[in-house]
Amino acid sequence: MIDLRSDTVTKPTFEMREAALEAEVGDDVYEEDPAVNELEEYAAARLGKEAALFVPTGTMGNQIAALTHCRPGQEVILEVDSHIFYYEGAGISALAGVQPRTIHGTRGVMDPEAVRDAIREDDIHLPETGLICLENTHNRAGGAVVPLKNMQEIYQIARENEIPVHLDGARLFNASVASGVDVKDYAAQADTVQFCLSKGLGAPVGSIITGTASFIKKARKWRKRLGGGMRQAGIIAAPGLVALKTMVGSLRDDHDNAQLLDSGLRGVEGLSIENKVETNIVLVNTKEAGFTAKEFVGKLKEAGILAISYGPYTVRLTTHHDVDREDIEEVNYRISGIVG
Ligand code: TLP
């Protein structure tokens, strides 16, 4: 099976497994796990923030950010196809007690003026705007890179209105590798950033939240309340540190492989590519080929390829460290067989 369902499916490298074996550990609830502390310090410095917190998943990282920034009854501005709105089980409403205010972006990019217009006035009838969320790269927009300038403009508006900004940077390193913009420059356009170690960077588990030291102190308490205070977590933090230190460069290969998929599949009659492929995600439209997305995913499975359905006629293929150029050539070949 060639598994292109997600970049979450990567298995830890040998070096990561070795790091887990050799990790010096302690009880992280007492902040005494040397491997976790090292990862948090390194991650904060890498993003140019004061402090960081290691959390089990990107979802928990985003939820902790909403819980820490907001009070119940507030409103959160975010893009209609953002992961936080679309894929987190309405967590921000169920847990943080906030109401989402969605904005339709273009390829995941929100118009700064639409954000400005969505910020609530001071009026007894209205909720307060408690947070603005950004996502880079934007998953459902096909791994689209949100331009730094757009983030700067939104952050400026947020500051004028004293509203914090949280960046869901699950794939921020993909954005950085594709655009050449340093992750620190992206991170400077948000008060807090969540990024995943367990996607393209290949770690088995884990995400990081970064922000000011006082924010991370409060976030640490939310993590504990949610049951995310882990004990000898160095066992999973150590592979995360290896991922962060050694795997960023290989994202370039994932992007090149996505380009190869893009050009291969464009040659298959009946299929079209919905997104401008900038990073590691390819969205294939199956309508003209006479398949629904679910049917096509079934056909792919029969041909030994795993993918996921992303809409009635949209199938997502994601490249990652555990597939190479030959695998992608094989995928292009097998797909031409399905449709042709
Ligand atoms: N995304 C997963 C699925 O949930 C769709 C994937 O396979 O792409 N933010 C963004 C932008 C994400 O894409 C994801 C995961 C998360 C947050 C959540 O991360 P985890 O899976 O660690 O909770």
Side-chain angles (χ1 to χ4, degrees):
M1 279 289 175
I2 303 175
D3 193 346
L4 302 180
R5 283 173 301 175
S6 183
D7 46 12
T8 59
V9 303
T10 48
K11 307 265 170 49
T13 60
F14 184 74
E15 204 185 341
M16 290 178 200
R17 290 171 194 266
E18 249 180 357
L21 191 68
E22 285 164 13
E24 201 191 324
V25 297
D27 190 327
D28 182 46
V29 171
Y30 297 113
E31 298 180 42
E32 286 173 2
D33 188 301
V36 174
N37 293 343
E38 189 185 350
L39 171 62
E40 290 178 344
E41 275 162 36
Y42 183 85
R46 186 75 196 261
L47 267 79
K49 296 287 190 201
E50 267 176 31
L53 183 70
F54 181 52
V55 290
T57 64
T59 302
M60 191 190 279
N62 287 335
Q63 293 303 320
I64 288 175
L67 285 158
T68 309
H69 280 298
C70 302
R71 289 191 310 278
Q74 287 187 324
E75 193 166 70
V76 173
I77 298 174
L78 74 184
E79 208 278 326
V80 70
D81 261 336
S82 62
H83 194 276
I84 296 176
F85 181 65
Y86 201 98
Y87 284 123
E88 298 189 10
I92 56 167
S93 302
L95 303 172
V98 295
Q99 137 176 313
R101 179 93 184 267
T102 54
I103 290 185
H104 288 261
T106 307
R107 303 184 55 246
V109 178
M110 294 188 285
D111 178 352
E113 287 315 309
V115 173
R116 192 196 296 280
D117 292 346
I119 295 173
R120 299 291 194 163
E121 289 169 28
D122 181 13
D123 179 313
I124 195 166
H125 300 90
L126 305 176
E128 288 164 16
T129 305
L131 181 66
I132 298 168
C133 294
L134 305 174
E135 182 174 316
N136 202 2
T137 62
H138 193 290
N139 178 352
R140 284 192 59 81
V145 177
V146 175
L148 182 66
K149 187 163 174 290
N150 174 265
M151 293 178 63
Q152 284 165 335
E153 286 169 4
I154 293 176
Y155 197 40
Q156 176 65 29
I157 292 167
R159 289 169 95 153
E160 283 162 18
N161 290 277
E162 295 177 19
I163 297 167
V165 172
H166 171 68
L167 169 62
D168 176 355
R171 297 185 179 83
L172 191 63
F173 285 90
N174 292 82
S176 171
V177 164
S179 64
V181 173
D182 196 300
V183 284
K184 284 196 183 81
D185 295 326
Y186 284 129
Q189 311 314 320
D191 297 282
T192 54
V193 182
Q194 179 278 120
F195 71 90
C196 293
L197 299 162
S198 65
K199 301 216 160 36
L201 299 181
V205 208
S207 278
I208 295 284
I209 318 173
T210 61
T212 62
S214 69
F215 180 92
I216 293 300
K217 187 165 186 245
K218 290 184 208 142
R220 190 178 290 281
K221 187 147 186 164
W222 269 114
R223 185 186 68 176
K224 187 75 182 74
R225 277 195 191 105
L226 295 176
M230 298 175 285
R231 301 298 178 170
Q232 285 70 45
I235 290 289
I236 52 175
L241 186 60
V242 171
L244 196 50
K245 285 187 172 169
T246 68
M247 297 289 282
V248 174
S250 81
L251 298 176
R252 165 73 52 212
D253 301 332
D254 301 346
H255 298 180
D256 289 347
N257 285 334
Q259 289 296 333
L260 188 63
L261 258 181
D262 181 33
S263 53
L265 298 181
R266 274 177 201 280
V268 180
E269 213 180 313
L271 296 182
S272 54
I273 306 301
E274 291 181 3
N275 62 321
K276 178 180 162 209
V277 178
E278 293 179 89
T279 57
N280 65 331
I281 295 178
V282 181
L283 301 178
V284 184
N285 190 292
T286 58
K287 193 164 188 186
E288 290 295 311
F291 297 110
T292 64
K294 289 208 172 101
E295 286 165 353
F296 197 70
V297 166
K299 289 277 171 199
L300 289 175
K301 197 169 179 183
E302 283 167 23
I305 301 161
L306 297 178
I308 58 175
S309 149
Y310 242 42
Y313 296 98
T314 307
V315 171
R316 186 184 80 166
L317 302 172
T318 307
T319 58
H320 52 78
H321 185 253
D322 292 3
V323 289
D324 60 19
R325 210 179 156 79
E326 276 166 28
D327 292 320
I328 299 301
E329 279 163 359
E330 184 62 27
V331 167
N332 282 343
Y333 173 72
R334 290 189 203 169
I335 291 183
S336 63
I338 295 172
V339 179

